Amino acid sequence: MFRSPRLAALLSCTTLSLMVLATEGMWLPTLLGGIESDMQTMGMRISADDIYAVNHTSIKDAIVLFGGGCTAEVVSKNGLILTNHHCGFGAIQDHSSVEHDYLKDGFWAADYAGELRNNGLTATFIIRMEDVTERVLAGLPNGLTEVQRREAFAKVADGITKEAVEGSHYTAVVRPFNYGNSYYLIVTETFRDVRLVGAPPGSIGNFGGDTDNWMWPRHTGDFSVFRIYAGVDNKPSDFALTNVPFTPRHSLPVSMDGVKEGDFDMVFGFPGSTQRYLTSYAVEYVTTVGDPLKIQMRRASLAIIDQAMLSSDRKRIQYADKQKGISNAYKKWIGELRGLTELHTLDRKREQEADYRSKAKGTVYEGALDELKLAYTEYVPLAKARDLFTEFVYVGPELLRFTDAFKGLITGQEDLRTTGKLQAEVDHLKGAARGFYKDYDKTVDERIFKALLPIYRSNVDPANAPPALQDIDIRFKGNMDAYVADVYARSVFTDSTALFKLLNAPSPKALKKLAKDPAFTLSQSFYKSFLEGVRPKLATSSDRVEAGMRTYMKGLMTLYPGKTFWPDANSTLRLTYGKVEGSTPRDGMSYEPFTYLDGIMEKYRAGDAEFDVPKRLLDLHAAKDFGDYGEAGRMPVCFTSSLHTTGGNSGSPVINGRGELIGINFDRSWESTMSDIQFDPAKCRNIAVDIRYVLFVIDKVCGAKHLVDEMVLTHQATGEPAFIKLPIHR
């Protein structure tokens, strides 16, 4: 496939890649003109300008960064947006209780007044993206240290962004690509009033649970419905009762024609992070240290959490969102490790690097790999210390990070009293504590601590371990369980009543007592050992790796001018395209590209936490009552495509060649999870829920047809345009 030299240079990234196939790559929307002909040859019937434009409406105006880590799409002129159930899960859980169990039973607002507010949830649109590489690099002279380079970049970027948004309500950021060899200005509009409109019962939205996560065949109705609200001027506003549904620049028409094998399709969204260009030194760490260690720690946590969630509805609701977050990456890493091993990625990286060394002889890039090898020698033990800290403190027992939130009050009480800010800080912490205890169970948390501590201690370098853990050997003669039990028994932070009693009378004596609390002192020992002992050295080492990768990547662009490289995902707007198709991921195994409601009935187990379904769904299936959404007497549920996706693409629209919504992306097959590092066109498939199943559930199962009526449903036979270009007035 031909790529122009200019496009190759613009898209260049780091490590040596294979020739980029049509199904590989996460393309910057500003550069789609360079691949437009290829997309149209594959079946696209619209233009690159229809997908991304600045001076008139385009598909990009219906694509939303949902919260901080998912994608959503606008599907009505009244600001209705669709995303995944697992993307809306935190909001759904926040509104749930034993009395109103929306996680289990689902939720549907009958009208605008019934739609639920979500504090802190945002929806962000891209207004424009602009290549500012020349402007930025002009302000980054050679010879700067990495610290100096960041400072210079911040100064240049500040000037560019201020100029870009002057006189508007937009915000802007300059983002580095290709390890700092190119830069883009991204201007955005963020809406701060996003309300929950609907969510299917958990037995539909999370059908298959952990068992089916990352797997194919899949039968999950992974969607939820929200609405963007704006001020009466249609501009972003904080939540207010006077806010009205947002009128979007574009909303996606919804295709009722369905999909068939071989159809062109594309995903437009905000992929979070890929590492396509890692060197062999980094891949070796991932496969031999990083992934195995994180898998071991999360497996231990999940064994405790899963058991607790089965014991009561209260604990199920308390830990539902936490379990999802821990489990998702855990299972992904298992698949990634297996995929990288099967593809011999480490050996392939070494072969590519040998070729690079040969080409680089006598050039300024000759020493790039040697420098990276040395950099990783010092980086690896520090990275291991970071992963241990992250998995134990940020992902493991909640007590440590909860107590750390009180550091400002405990260590700064004198200044807070002097400045009159003490009560405000206490009130803030009371609010945080109420939210914390709502979803906290002391017994479960203590068991997680006991499960992870032996793994942590057996892997951590003693020089990086928190000094407070020495008490295990000194006072408890090596008995880790007894040590943990003592901390949880004596800490005021494990007892909400005791903590609130203290906060209601925050005398100097009371706060000094908190300073000596065993959980607080242990927490501070963990944080101090990492933040002061590990992180500064890790930052210096990371800078060395970053500088080495920037040089190495520039060498790749120079030494391999005939190859095309696309920038690693970094939560910026990207498009990936391919076709609806199945796969043959391993010998003797063949995956069809479609699943149907019949498959749900085959998996159905009454009363099972993962494979139960609502009676209404059973009845509709038995009656073959699929309304306008079925196909040849069957109800389509999910399909796979050869699209290159990753985390952040959850909730992204799957769009056909006419610019119409045909599905919502929500996962990859387990055999695809290594695609963040190495893409295999024979194995890698994304998984989407068919939009017709989404509409069927909304309408026929849950009785919320008023939401379907908001959407524009299209049939190709009608000849309706996919969308109408309108000028944008700002």
Side-chain angles (χ1 to χ4, degrees):
M1 174 168 41
F2 172 76
R3 306 286 189 216
S4 71
R6 179 175 182 273
L7 182 65
L10 285 169
L11 296 179
S12 299
C13 205
T14 318
T15 282
L16 177 60
S17 108
L18 300 175
M19 287 300 291
V20 177
L21 302 177
T23 53
E24 180 183 1
M26 299 175 180
W27 306 95
L28 289 166
T30 55
L31 303 175
L32 293 180
I35 54 175
E36 180 180 45
S37 61
D38 183 58
M39 296 170 73
Q40 291 179 335
T41 297
M42 290 182 66
M44 187 174 75
R45 297 293 174 260
I46 57 177
S47 69
D49 193 56
D50 293 328
I51 298 172
Y52 174 89
V54 174
N55 296 319
H56 59 76
T57 56
S58 59
I59 290 176
K60 79 139 168 67
D61 298 308
I63 311 302
V64 175
L65 175 62
F66 183 80
C70 281
T71 304
E73 49 276 359
V74 184
V75 292
S76 90
K77 64 180 181 180
N78 299 318
L80 199 69
I81 59 175
L82 299 177
T83 189
N84 287 154
H85 184 267
H86 74 259
C87 292
F89 199 85
I92 301 166
Q93 187 223 19
D94 191 52
H95 291 294
S96 295
S97 64
V98 174
E99 295 76 22
H100 300 285
D101 194 344
Y102 299 142
L103 286 176
K104 180 180 179 182
D105 302 327
F107 166 80
W108 298 95
D111 51 30
Y112 293 155
E115 295 173 0
L116 302 178
R117 173 186 181 181
N118 301 285
N119 292 328
L121 183 59
T122 59
T124 299
F125 292 90
I126 301 298
I127 301 302
R128 64 185 175 94
M129 299 175 68
E130 178 184 340
D131 188 342
V132 293
T133 302
E134 291 185 6
R135 293 181 65 182
V136 172
L137 292 182
L140 305 179
N142 293 330
L144 297 180
T145 65
E146 288 301 295
V147 173
Q148 291 170 334
R149 184 184 173 91
R150 280 195 295 274
E151 292 172 348
F153 165 68
K155 184 176 181 180
V156 174
D158 185 59
I160 293 173
T161 55
K162 284 181 178 177
E163 175 188 303
V165 301
E166 185 176 4
S168 75
H169 64 279
Y170 300 136
T171 55
V173 65
V174 175
R175 295 290 301 274
F177 292 75
N178 310 329
Y179 293 91
N181 278 281
S182 59
Y183 294 86
Y184 273 78
L185 166 71
I186 304 173
V187 180
T188 58
E189 181 178 39
T190 298
F191 290 82
R192 303 181 298 277
D193 186 356
V194 182
R195 305 184 194 178
L196 176 63
V197 175
S203 54
I204 291 177
N206 192 34
F207 182 82
D210 284 342
T211 300
D212 275 6
N213 191 24
W214 298 106
M215 307 301 284
W216 185 258
R218 199 68 174 274
H219 300 85
T220 311
D222 196 347
F223 76 93
S224 56
V225 188
F226 289 78
R227 192 185 306 277
I228 301 171
Y229 279 75
V232 293
D233 57 359
N234 207 43
K235 292 181 179 179
S237 169
D238 291 332
F239 174 84
L241 294 177
T242 55
N243 284 352
V244 296
F246 168 62
T247 301
R249 288 171 283 270
H250 178 63
S251 62
L252 292 178
V254 178
S255 174
M256 295 293 284
D257 295 324
V259 295
K260 61 181 184 297
E261 191 166 9
D263 280 354
F264 171 88
D265 62 349
M266 52 189 171
V267 157
F268 207 8
F270 295 87
S273 176
T274 57
Q275 299 172 298
R276 182 67 175 85
Y277 305 102
L278 291 181
T279 62
S280 62
Y281 319 118
V283 172
E284 185 173 19
Y285 175 77
V286 169
T287 55
T288 64
V289 181
D291 278 3
L293 179 62
K294 292 182 288 189
I295 289 168
Q296 183 185 12
M297 295 187 78
R298 294 204 176 194
R299 180 183 292 122
S301 290
L302 287 168
I304 306 299
I305 294 172
D306 289 347
Q307 184 181 42
M309 289 178 67
L310 292 173
S311 67
S312 73
D313 283 340
R314 177 176 174 78
K315 290 179 182 178
R316 174 179 55 79
I317 293 171
Q318 285 179 318
Y319 282 87
D321 195 31
K322 303 169 193 175
Q323 195 274 353
K324 263 190 170 296
I326 296 171
S327 175
N328 192 55
Y330 160 73
K331 194 167 183 179
K332 185 256 188 181
W333 289 326
I334 293 174
E336 176 178 82
L337 189 58
R338 186 179 73 173
L340 294 175
T341 301
E342 290 178 350
L343 291 175
H344 306 287
T345 301
L346 183 56
D347 292 337
R348 295 176 70 173
K349 291 284 186 182
R350 288 169 175 164
E351 291 170 3
Q352 293 165 359
E353 289 161 9
D355 188 70
Y356 176 94
R357 288 178 184 277
S358 176
K359 288 183 180 294
K361 283 183 179 179
T363 73
V364 294
Y365 309 111
E366 184 174 6
L369 281 170
D370 290 335
E371 169 59 22
L372 280 167
K373 184 177 182 179
L374 288 173
Y376 268 93
T377 300
E378 66 179 29
Y379 175 81
V380 164
L382 297 167
K384 182 179 181 181
R386 174 205 60 206
D387 288 346
L388 280 166
F389 176 81
T390 299
E391 290 300 313
F392 198 96
V393 177
Y394 290 150
V395 183
E398 297 175 83
L399 184 63
L400 296 175
R401 50 191 182 275
F402 176 58
T403 57
D404 183 62
F406 288 76
K407 180 180 178 180
L409 174 66
I410 293 170
T411 62
Q413 63 162 308
E414 292 183 5
D415 287 341
L416 290 170
R417 289 184 195 279
T418 301
T419 58
K421 298 178 180 179
L422 179 68
Q423 192 58 50
E425 178 66 10
V426 169
D427 290 343
H428 167 72
L429 290 171
K430 282 182 179 179
R434 281 189 287 270
F436 173 77
Y437 288 120
K438 172 180 177 288
D439 293 325
Y440 179 75
D441 185 281
K442 173 183 174 181
T443 301
V444 174
D445 203 51
E446 181 177 338
R447 291 182 63 204
I448 293 172
F449 204 124
K450 289 177 178 178
L452 293 186
L453 187 57
I455 302 172
Y456 178 88
R457 294 196 80 200
S458 64
N459 282 281
V460 70
D461 184 330
N464 297 327
L469 291 182
Q470 294 174 7
D471 270 3
I472 295 172
D473 299 317
I474 296 171
R475 293 179 52 223
F476 293 87
K477 303 186 185 305
N479 190 327
M480 286 182 273
D481 282 358
Y483 169 78
V484 174
D486 179 72
V487 170
Y488 277 76
R490 293 194 296 118
S491 175
V492 70
F493 290 100
T494 62
D495 184 339
S496 60
T497 301
L499 179 62
F500 278 109
K501 181 179 179 181
L502 188 150
L503 292 177
N504 287 334
S507 65
K509 182 178 180 181
L511 295 184
K512 285 182 180 179
K513 179 181 178 182
L514 274 186
K516 297 179 181 179
D517 184 274
F520 179 74
T521 56
L522 177 59
S523 168
Q524 295 312 292
S525 186
F526 264 99
Y527 278 95
K528 185 175 182 180
S529 64
F530 177 75
L531 298 180
E532 297 180 13
V534 176
R535 192 168 68 172
K537 291 182 284 187
L538 179 63
T540 300
S541 182
S542 297
D543 282 348
R544 187 177 180 183
V545 170
E546 183 75 8
M549 288 298 294
R550 188 163 56 248
T551 301
Y552 177 47
M553 186 204 74
K554 195 168 184 180
L556 287 164
M557 289 189 291
T558 303
L559 299 171
Y560 297 88
K563 292 186 181 294
T564 301
F565 304 88
W566 51 270
D568 266 322
N570 59 355
S571 295
T572 56
L573 187 61
R574 305 293 183 92
L575 183 137
T576 174
Y577 65 99
K579 292 188 175 183
V580 176
E581 56 182 319
S583 62
T584 53
R586 61 187 67 252
D587 184 48
M589 180 182 292
S590 179
Y591 288 158
E592 295 293 322
F594 305 109
T595 61
Y596 298 88
L597 189 55
D598 294 341
I600 292 180
M601 299 307 146
E602 292 170 0
K603 292 180 177 180
Y604 164 63
R605 294 198 296 268
D608 186 272
E610 295 183 317
F611 294 103
D612 201 355
V613 295
K615 183 178 184 301
R616 175 66 176 165
L617 190 63
L618 295 171
D619 293 342
L620 289 169
H621 175 264
K624 302 294 183 185
D625 184 3
F626 307 136
D628 296 330
Y629 313 111
E631 175 184 276
R634 294 194 293 178
M635 184 65 242
V637 176
C638 296
F639 63 92
T640 61
S641 303
S642 54
L643 304 178
H644 194 175
T645 61
T646 188
N649 277 128
S650 290
S652 294
V654 185
I655 302 169
N656 66 14
R658 287 168 46 82
E660 300 161 331
L661 183 65
I662 56 175
I664 306 174
N665 181 78
F666 70 92
D667 207 352
R668 287 172 281 171
S669 64
W670 208 28
E671 293 82 7
S672 308
T673 51
M674 76 295 182
S675 64
D676 290 349
I677 297 174
Q678 182 175 342
F679 186 90
D680 181 355
K683 294 183 178 182
C684 292
R685 298 291 181 269
N686 69 300
I687 304 174
V689 55
D690 193 304
I691 195 62
R692 293 169 297 171
Y693 185 61
V694 173
L695 301 183
F696 167 73
V697 171
I698 293 174
D699 178 2
K700 302 289 290 183
V701 179
C702 299
K705 188 175 184 298
H706 62 285
L707 298 178
V708 177
D709 291 340
E710 281 193 44
M711 307 176 199
V712 175
L713 308 184
T714 66
H715 288 281
Q716 187 171 355
T718 66
E720 296 170 351
F723 53 84
I724 300 172
K725 296 179 183 179
L726 297 172
I728 296 177
H729 302 287
R730 299 191 178 96

